[in-house]
Amino acid sequence: MKLKRFVAADTRTAMQQIKAAFGDEAVILSSSDVEGGVELVAAIDFDETILSTEAAVACAEPPSQVDKFQTQTPFDDLRMEIQTLRGMLEAQLRGGGVGGSSEPLHTVLLQKLLYLGVSPTTAAAWTRNIRPDLNQQRAWQAILTHITEQLPIRDTRRIEEGGIYAFLGPTGVGKTTTLAKIGARFALRFGADKLGMVTMDTYRMAAQEQLMLYGKILGVQVCLAHDEVSLSRVLRQLSDKKLILIDTAGMNPSDERVVRQMQILSAHMQSISKVLVLPATSHYQVLIDAIHRYETNYVDQCILTKLDEAQAIGGALSAAIETGLRISYLTHGQRVPEDIKMATRHQLVELLAQQEQQLFPADNNFMSKERSNFGKERLNIGSELQNERHGVGREYYVES
């Protein structure tokens, strides 16, 4: 199932966009008037038994802003050529040749990706694929397209559809809150009586109390499991539940207890899916180390938290791409259950593009300044030509 919003000047144009994107099998879920035209939400392979129409409309991809350059004027292309040359010159003056690249454009892109937190290896690989004759904006759009194609997203068998899931991750990444958000969404849809919640965090009393508080709010009893035997007993007790969520202890990934915890969960490998919770605020090296410590081969999916606090998500994206760890949900605040949504490639690439605009405002303000200067130059030229005409007319009159 794929969902997307389409915005156009009129319904006919929007329908053409939908047909081009999804074909004749597309289903229209909603239609509304927005500033500048209409907005339609469409889906392909939509199944209302899995996701309600209201929920589908809420989580549909917003209209893309990544391909704005397709409507550029010839002046915009000229402006971008000037900007690219300026960026290349600045890169060369700062040292050039970053990452072994001899192309100035590649140096500019590589430095931008590194500022956004992307790992050096992945950043170098992405920039090498860019044609050096492109201007800077078109090259950046090509980078975003490349990221979109590579991002591993888990868009099937969502947690809310049922199963047994253990939430893993370092201390302070938001595992318990994330678990509560998903539990609340499930309870609203299927009922609290179909939900089971378990805590394996026997190291911190506060963590148990937090989950028990969420359980009390949702009307779900929270069970305690501290070893393999007790976990087996609890899972048998909850065998009639459609969804069981297990909260584990947050630890330093290098802590030897992480290995023990993974061993306990591995004893139930066939039934327990492992969900690694990682903060988008962390540096690439911290994330990649946590992924390896929690044994990527045994982890089913990943949830990225704290997107509202992240200044640069390049580290999280490159870590996911390099390891192939599929991202299923994104969280962006503390509210339960509001601040969580299903992950899409579009949302993540759009956020990276927004962060690029914030980190490099000079590049994005250049167009508006050049437009203003260009308009003034045209006005001055027009005035000069008008004065010349008046002057020629007066001279001709006198000579006559």
Side-chain angles (χ1 to χ4, degrees), residues 253-290:
S254 60
D255 193 317
E256 62 182 15
R257 289 176 297 180
V258 170
V259 177
R260 175 57 184 156
Q261 186 171 256
M262 293 299 292
Q263 290 174 345
I264 294 174
L265 294 171
S266 297
H268 300 272
M269 177 59 69
Q270 299 301 321
S271 59
I272 300 179
S273 299
K274 298 168 187 63
V275 182
L276 184 57
V277 183
L278 295 172
T281 52
S282 290
H283 186 271
Y284 160 80
Q285 198 57 53
V286 175
L287 295 172
I288 205 74
D289 181 63

Side-chain angles (χ1 to χ4, degrees), residues 275-329:
V275 182
L276 184 57
V277 183
L278 295 172
T281 52
S282 290
H283 186 271
Y284 160 80
Q285 198 57 53
V286 175
L287 295 172
I288 205 74
D289 181 63
I291 292 172
H292 290 318
R293 296 276 185 177
Y294 280 95
E295 305 179 42
T296 313
N297 294 336
Y298 297 110
V299 174
D300 184 60
Q301 57 191 284
C302 167
I303 297 177
L304 286 182
T305 61
K306 304 185 179 183
L307 264 75
D308 55 317
E309 303 175 22
Q311 298 299 312
I313 64 167
L317 299 190
S318 51
I321 289 172
E322 289 174 18
T323 59
L325 184 57
R326 293 178 295 173
I327 306 169
S328 55
Y329 288 87

